[in-house]
Amino acid sequence: MQSLVTRFKEHYGMALVIAGALLLVVSLIVGWSSSNTVLIISLLMIIIGIVVDVKQTKRRGKY
C-alpha cells in the first residue's frame, strides 16, 4: 500500500488551488476579507498551484 504522499503526488498543484479558494471563501464568511495578509496568501497559493499543476501536466506529457 502506497503512502498518501506518493499516491497524490501529481495532484499537489490542484490541491493548492483548492486550498487557496477555500481560504478565500472562509475569509469572506469569517470577515477576514479586509486583511491583506490573508488575501495575499490565498492569491499566492492559487498562483503557485496553477504553476505547479501546469508543470506536472507538461512533465507527464499530457499537455
Side-chain angles (χ1 to χ4, degrees):
M1 187 169 164
Q2 295 176 337
S3 70
L4 285 176
V5 174
T6 57
R7 196 170 175 192
F8 297 109
K9 193 174 187 179
E10 52 191 45
H11 302 293
Y12 285 146
M14 193 54 61
L16 274 173
V17 172
I18 292 170
L22 285 176
L23 183 60
L24 280 173
V25 170
V26 168
S27 70
L28 181 67
I29 292 170
V30 176
W32 296 338
S33 58
S34 62
S35 171
N36 286 336
T37 306
V38 175
L39 297 176
I40 290 172
I41 289 172
S42 61
L43 176 67
L44 287 176
M45 287 174 71
I46 292 171
I47 291 173
I48 291 170
I50 290 171
V51 170
V52 168
D53 191 54
V54 168
K55 284 188 177 189
Q56 287 176 342
T57 304
K58 280 187 174 183
R59 186 176 298 140
R60 287 190 304 248
K62 297 179 183 177
Y63 187 73

